[in-house]
């Protein structure tokens, strides 16, 4: 798998709900064993991210991550994307019933070597999602 194919698979088949597979199957093939996802406050291992995505797939059955812009320099890929979905259940402490959707911007900086994602720094605008779901 090329670096670009790994990046595409991450967005199309792992972050986005895919009825043909599960996040653990997809991530097994594209994340390195020592993968780390770094956010503003916490970091997640490959196993932790896989578990979180499995939870999100159940909570947000139409979850979709759509890259809007990809900038590449060497093994680094910067992706500006839009995440959309309609949660049904407890969403970050907010009860939802599948009738309201969100659409937020996300920014990720991936390091990909030999077709494996080594690390990703990410920011997601969950504050905006919460506002949209409360309206």
């Amino acid at each position: 798998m090329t670096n670009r194919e790994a990046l595409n698979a991450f967005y199309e088949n792992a972050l986005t709900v895919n009825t043909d597979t599960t996040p653990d199957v997809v991530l097994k093939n594209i994340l390195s064993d020592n993968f780390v996802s770094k956010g503003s406050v916490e970091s997640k291992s490959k196993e932790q991210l896989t578990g979180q995505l499995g939870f999100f797939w159940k909570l947000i059955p139409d979850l979709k991550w759509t890259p809007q812009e990809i900038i590449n320099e060497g093994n680094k890929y910067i992706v500006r994307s839009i995440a959309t979905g309609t949660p049904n259940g407890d969403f970050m402490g907010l009860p939802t019933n599948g009738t309201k959707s969100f659409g937020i911007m996300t920014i990720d900086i991936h390091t990909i070597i030999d077709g494996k994602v080594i690390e990703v720094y990410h920011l997601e605008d969950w504050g905006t999602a919460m506002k949209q779901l409360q309206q």
Side-chain angles (χ1 to χ4, degrees):
M1 180 178 304
T2 68
N3 289 351
R4 190 57 173 250
E5 288 170 338
L7 182 71
N8 290 341
F10 187 73
Y11 284 88
E12 294 171 9
N13 301 323
L15 294 180
T16 295
V17 172
N18 183 330
T19 57
D20 297 332
T21 190
T22 59
D24 56 323
V25 171
V26 176
L27 293 175
K28 175 181 154 187
N29 295 321
I30 61 174
L31 300 183
S32 71
D33 290 337
N34 60 341
F35 168 84
V36 64
S37 173
K38 300 175 181 180
S40 297
V41 177
E42 61 183 22
S43 294
K44 293 181 184 77
S45 67
K46 180 178 184 174
E47 293 76 23
Q48 290 170 317
L49 180 63
T50 300
Q52 180 182 18
L53 286 175
F55 171 76
F56 275 176
W57 278 30
K58 290 175 185 164
L59 177 64
I60 312 166
D62 62 345
L63 182 62
K64 185 173 184 177
W65 237 269
T66 308
Q68 305 295 299
E69 181 177 16
I70 299 172
I71 300 169
N72 171 230
E73 184 174 321
N75 292 325
K76 299 278 187 190
Y77 294 80
I78 300 170
V79 181
R80 178 179 57 83
S81 61
I82 301 294
T84 59
T86 311
N88 189 4
D90 183 2
F91 183 76
M92 299 184 188
L94 177 69
T96 62
N97 61 10
T99 61
K100 294 184 179 181
S101 299
F102 65 83
I104 61 170
M105 185 184 340
T106 72
I107 302 287
D108 297 300
I109 303 171
H110 302 270
T111 301
I112 307 174
I113 299 173
D114 297 328
K116 296 282 187 178
V117 182
I118 306 298
E119 71 179 0
V120 60
Y121 289 87
H122 66 94
L123 288 174
E124 298 143 352
D125 188 8
W126 293 119
T128 295
M130 300 302 285
K131 287 180 188 175
Q132 293 169 348
L133 294 169
Q134 291 174 341
Q135 294 177 353

